[in-house]
Amino acid sequence: QSGHYGRGTKCVAGYYNSETNQTSCLACSPGSYTPVSGSVSCAGCDAGTFADRNGTTSCSNCSAGQFSEANATMCTLCQAGTYSSSNGSTNCSLCVAGSSTEGARGSTKCSSCEPGSHASTTGSATCSVCHAGSAAAKSAAVNCTACAAGKYSAANATTCTECAAGHFAADEGSPTCAECAKGTFAGATGMTVCTACSTGSYQDKTGATSCTECAKGSYQDKTGGKICTSCPNSRTYTTYTEGSKKASDCQGPLLTYTVSKLAAPKTVTDTANVTVSGTITVTATKGDWYIRNNQHPYTEYYTVKQGHKQAIKGSKLVLMLEPVMANVFCYKESEGYGLYFAGYQNTDAAGNACQDGSSCRNPDSSTTGPHCKVKSGSSVVDSPCGIPTCVWDVACAAGDGTGYRGNASSVAVDGASYACQAWDSDRPHVNFFKPNAFRTATYGVAAHNLCRNPDPRNIQTPWCYTSSIWVRSASCGVARCDETYKYFN
């Protein structure tokens, strides 16, 4: 009978016989089994189990990390991004978002994505690193967070970093911060924009954390300046403070002249020589000017005050056009801190207008130098005008030496040095130039023994009477002012 063979012997477990009168039993094929003897057929392995050889009496469970369908001869590894955590699995589960199998097959579990990476979908085989400009601070991130404006990150970042001072990031998700352009700055970290330099300042480098005030002698009248504009002449012009904001802050001499009615006007801002054949008309636009005969500069000259004109005729006449710098655009500190300053400036150093139409003066010899009264809130206060101190006629002697107010007080004669005699003394020599109001104001002679020149008709350099009975007077050897000396500090 079926299930038997020969003379009625039962087929053993794992074998079967579906027909009668058989001399042998058939082995169950892989993927099937029979657990009892005398079987007329084999059963297929259930899903999650397998039988990998003939004559099997039972099916084996698939190991964790594997699965099978019914009638399986072998188990299949879970694909990357899936897992099975127990034996006998009929299928594999997808890794949840924020986790992966790290690229491996046959996984029994999924691993959470490390900080700085993410898995945005289920079934991810691997976690993706956060791209530059984003970050994930915690593990198991589903998505990376874009860096806020003002911050940045490299790839695989756990946090975003604030832009350093001098840099900025205008948009979210920036992989890097950009340097501030010339003319701008970022003074703090985490900036989304750079700030334009204000008027009166500049920045000539990229990546700056601040702007620099324009130096004296220059100005910037626009925001975002990369450089400052220099005043018309670096020798004769300056500004009274750093950080000047407009061209009119530049203070210095300006002379306009024409050599004929049809000629275009020309301007000069420093000493210049002009040859005249006919008539020259000069206008002192800013400051006072000397118009000197170049052949006799200290005996034949005109003084043209600011706002006035002078016409001069000549034939091949060489004229020296010379600005009056001392006590107009600078003051002599040694002369009562600008006691005789007579410039036309009518604002203080900050640009505030002097009250009642007055100009900067120092009648009380204040150590602050020339000043004026300005309005400050509801009060009127004295405020310094910022006038620079003179170098010409202090460190050196200009012209005929009458304006010299330096500190030289000795002479050298035949290798010997002698101290100067005081101007208010007759010892050891009778003095014909004792101080009086005129000589003090004009030549600087006073109750001191400093070198001066109260006698320009005969001498064109500072001198003094000496303290030696054998040497009545002598030149003090003060250096002549020339282009190697600046006009003012």
Side-chain angles (χ1 to χ4, degrees):
Q1 58 183 5
S2 58
H4 294 71
Y5 70 97
R7 296 181 176 274
T9 304
K10 289 182 177 181
C11 295
V12 298
Y15 288 76
Y16 75 99
N17 201 338
S18 61
E19 298 180 3
T20 60
N21 301 318
Q22 299 296 313
T23 60
S24 63
C25 295
L26 300 174
C28 292
S29 61
S32 64
Y33 75 101
T34 176
V36 297
S37 60
S39 296
V40 297
S41 64
C42 296
C45 292
D46 293 333
T49 65
F50 73 100
D52 60 353
R53 60 185 178 274
N54 294 323
T56 301
T57 60
S58 64
C59 296
S60 301
N61 283 329
C62 292
S63 300
Q66 301 176 338
F67 77 100
S68 72
E69 298 177 349
N71 307 316
T73 61
M74 62 182 296
C75 295
T76 302
L77 292 174
C78 292
Q79 295 296 311
T82 65
Y83 73 100
S84 66
S85 59
S86 59
N87 296 332
S89 294
T90 60
N91 56 58
C92 297
S93 301
L94 295 173
C95 292
V96 298
S99 66
S100 77
T101 59
E102 300 178 348
R105 299 173 62 201
S107 296
T108 60
K109 64 178 181 177
C110 298
S111 300
S112 295
C113 295
E114 294 289 333
S117 64
H118 72 105
S120 58
T121 60
T122 57
S124 294
T126 58
C127 297
S128 301
V129 298
C130 294
H131 60 75
S134 65
K138 297 180 180 180
S139 60
V142 175
N143 293 298
C144 299
T145 303
C147 295
K151 295 183 177 182
Y152 76 101
S153 74
N156 202 27
T158 59
T159 59
C160 295
T161 303
E162 286 190 334
C163 294
H167 299 70
F168 75 103
D171 302 317
E172 288 187 347
S174 295
T176 59
C177 297
E179 284 188 325
C180 292
K182 293 179 181 181
T184 67
F185 74 100
T189 59
M191 299 302 292
T192 60
V193 294
C194 297
T195 304
C197 294
S198 61
T199 55
S201 66
Y202 74 100
Q203 182 49 255
D204 59 357
K205 296 179 177 61
T206 59
T209 59
S210 63
C211 296
T212 303
E213 284 190 321
C214 293
K216 286 184 178 181
S218 64
Y219 67 95
Q220 178 52 261
D221 56 1
K222 296 179 178 64
T223 58
K226 299 174 185 178
I227 58 173
C228 295
T229 303
S230 296
C231 291
N233 187 310
S234 61
R235 262 179 60 78
T236 57
Y237 275 71
T238 190
T239 55
Y240 294 155
T241 61
E242 295 177 338
S244 292
K245 301 178 180 180
K246 52 187 184 298
S248 59
D249 289 339
C250 292
Q251 295 291 327
L254 178 63
L255 183 79
T256 304
Y257 71 92
T258 56
V259 292
S260 72
K261 291 182 178 180
L262 299 179
K266 296 183 179 181
T267 60
V268 292
T269 55
D270 200 352
T271 300
N273 290 326
V274 177
T275 300
V276 178
S277 291
T279 300
I280 182 173
T281 302
V282 299
T283 301
T285 306
K286 294 182 69 175
D288 300 338
W289 286 76
Y290 294 126
I291 314 300
R292 302 183 186 275
N293 182 335
N294 207 34
Q295 297 297 314
H296 310 284
Y298 305 115
T299 57
E300 297 180 17
Y301 65 90
Y302 295 93
T303 300
V304 184
K305 296 289 188 178
Q306 178 171 299
H308 290 75
K309 295 182 179 181
Q310 180 69 51
I312 303 169
K313 292 182 179 181
S315 177
K316 296 183 180 180
L317 175 64
V318 179
L319 296 178
M320 180 192 298
L321 313 179
E322 179 186 1
V324 180
M325 299 300 294
N327 286 332
V328 176
F329 291 105
C330 60
Y331 73 91
K332 299 174 184 178
E333 193 171 25
S334 58
E335 194 174 49
Y337 298 96
L339 175 64
Y340 299 107
F341 180 78
Y344 299 92
Q345 296 83 345
N346 56 9
T347 62
D348 70 359
N352 300 306
C354 296
Q355 292 291 289
D356 302 323
S358 62
S359 298
C360 299
R361 294 291 183 267
N362 193 12
D364 50 358
S365 295
S366 169
T367 56
T368 60
H371 55 275
C372 71
K373 292 187 180 297
V374 300
K375 194 169 184 180
S376 177
S378 59
S379 303
V380 175
V381 297
D382 274 326
S383 182
C385 294
I387 311 295
T389 55
C390 296
V391 173
W392 271 40
D393 270 336
V394 176
C396 57
D400 58 7
T402 57
Y404 176 71
R405 299 296 183 269
N407 294 322
S409 60
S410 64
V411 299
V413 179
D414 297 330
S417 178
Y418 303 105
C420 290
Q421 173 182 311
W423 290 103
D424 60 345
S425 173
D426 281 317
R427 291 184 180 182
H429 306 287
V430 175
N431 179 359
F432 296 108
F433 299 100
K434 285 190 173 68
N436 58 31
F438 173 78
R439 291 191 184 117
T440 298
T442 307
Y443 304 119
V445 295
H448 58 66
N449 72 332
L450 302 176
C451 299
R452 297 291 183 259
N453 184 18
D455 188 20
R457 288 181 177 274
N458 299 299
I459 303 174
Q460 277 76 53
T461 187
W463 61 276
C464 69
Y465 295 111
T466 81
S467 57
S468 169
I469 60 173
W470 307 109
V471 180
R472 177 172 173 78
S473 64
S475 168
C476 295
V478 175
R480 298 282 296 180
C481 292
D482 56 25
E483 65 276 1
T484 62
Y485 288 89
K486 56 185 180 179
Y487 282 118
F488 43 73
N489 289 310

